[in-house]
Amino acid sequence: DTLYYSLEPRISARLLLTDNWSVKAAYSEMTQYLHFLTNSTIGLPTDLWLPATNLVPPQKSYQYAFGSVYSISPGIDLTVEAYYKEMENLIEYKDGATFFDDPENIGNESDAWEEKIEIGKGKSYGAEVLIQKKTGDFTGWIGYTLSRTNRQFENISYGREFPYRYDRRHDISLAMTYRINKKIDVGMTWVYG
């Protein structure tokens, strides 16, 4: 019974400083009408996707990114990028609440999932270094990301920020492809987080 709408502007710019060096910047606003609600009580991890409702507005995010690309040699690029993202209308279970129904309240409004959650905010930020080879029979990239993702809710953790459950501080990725001939290539991907 609720209609939500949003504008989602995105802007990006790239400036060529020399033939082999550029800088870039981007800004975006995004809205998500599905909420991700995760529960890890009693050793039963349960992840639910729930819709925005008249009580739970859609999630919004505002992201800024800045970076630089330098061509080390033809076909090999070094990229360094940083980002900062603010999020609002995030949801998390209230302390002690679970997705299990309370037998005494089944069918009552107090048993609705909207009554079992807190609405808060979050932020993510980090930096990435990427070296990519784009030409030849052997191509691929290796990247390292250092990032942090936090959440904050008025009635959880005394209102202080805390690391999000899926916060992944360090991420190293390696991807390689080798072209054997025009019809066959083989690839490998490795990720450490």
Side-chain angles (χ1 to χ4, degrees), residues 115-179:
E115 299 298 321
K116 298 178 180 183
I117 61 164
E118 297 282 344
I119 298 175
K121 60 186 179 177
K123 62 183 169 187
S124 293
Y125 52 92
E128 178 178 63
V129 177
L130 177 75
I131 297 175
Q132 183 175 19
K133 183 178 184 294
K134 301 178 187 178
T135 59
D137 289 338
F138 178 75
T139 59
W141 50 266
I142 184 168
Y144 170 71
T145 303
L146 174 64
S147 63
R148 187 177 292 256
T149 300
N150 293 326
R151 297 288 192 259
Q152 186 174 20
F153 298 85
E154 186 177 332
N155 297 311
I156 298 175
S157 190
Y158 303 103
R160 293 186 303 242
E161 275 189 357
F162 59 91
Y164 182 52
R165 176 179 179 172
Y166 295 107
D167 176 44
R168 191 149 114 177
R169 195 65 37 94
H170 302 280
D171 185 292
I172 301 171
S173 301
L174 174 67
M176 296 184 290
T177 302
Y178 180 71
R179 185 175 59 197

Side-chain angles (χ1 to χ4, degrees), residues 15-171:
L15 176 64
L16 296 171
L17 301 174
T18 67
D19 287 343
N20 60 347
W21 184 27
S22 65
V23 292
K24 57 186 178 177
Y27 172 77
S28 62
E29 290 183 21
M30 294 170 277
T31 305
Q32 181 169 304
Y33 298 92
L34 287 174
H35 290 275
F36 183 62
L37 184 60
T38 181
N39 184 354
S40 61
T41 60
I42 323 172
L44 298 171
T46 304
D47 297 337
L48 303 172
W49 287 96
L50 299 164
T53 67
N54 60 337
L55 298 175
V56 184
Q59 298 174 70
K60 298 276 294 179
S61 70
Y62 311 90
Q63 182 167 318
Y64 309 85
F66 304 95
S68 179
V69 179
Y70 181 75
S71 292
I72 298 169
S73 65
I76 300 178
D77 290 343
L78 170 65
T79 303
V80 178
E81 190 166 316
Y83 72 94
Y84 179 79
K85 181 177 186 178
E86 294 179 346
M87 299 162 279
E88 58 188 43
N89 300 330
L90 302 175
I91 64 172
E92 189 78 33
Y93 277 109
K94 291 180 179 180
D95 282 338
T98 71
F99 66 94
F100 293 113
D101 289 331
D102 180 351
E104 295 179 14
N105 290 324
I106 291 178
N108 296 341
E109 278 189 31
S110 63
D111 199 46
W113 66 269
E114 292 104 320
E115 299 298 321
K116 298 178 180 183
I117 61 164
E118 297 282 344
I119 298 175
K121 60 186 179 177
K123 62 183 169 187
S124 293
Y125 52 92
E128 178 178 63
V129 177
L130 177 75
I131 297 175
Q132 183 175 19
K133 183 178 184 294
K134 301 178 187 178
T135 59
D137 289 338
F138 178 75
T139 59
W141 50 266
I142 184 168
Y144 170 71
T145 303
L146 174 64
S147 63
R148 187 177 292 256
T149 300
N150 293 326
R151 297 288 192 259
Q152 186 174 20
F153 298 85
E154 186 177 332
N155 297 311
I156 298 175
S157 190
Y158 303 103
R160 293 186 303 242
E161 275 189 357
F162 59 91
Y164 182 52
R165 176 179 179 172
Y166 295 107
D167 176 44
R168 191 149 114 177
R169 195 65 37 94
H170 302 280
D171 185 292

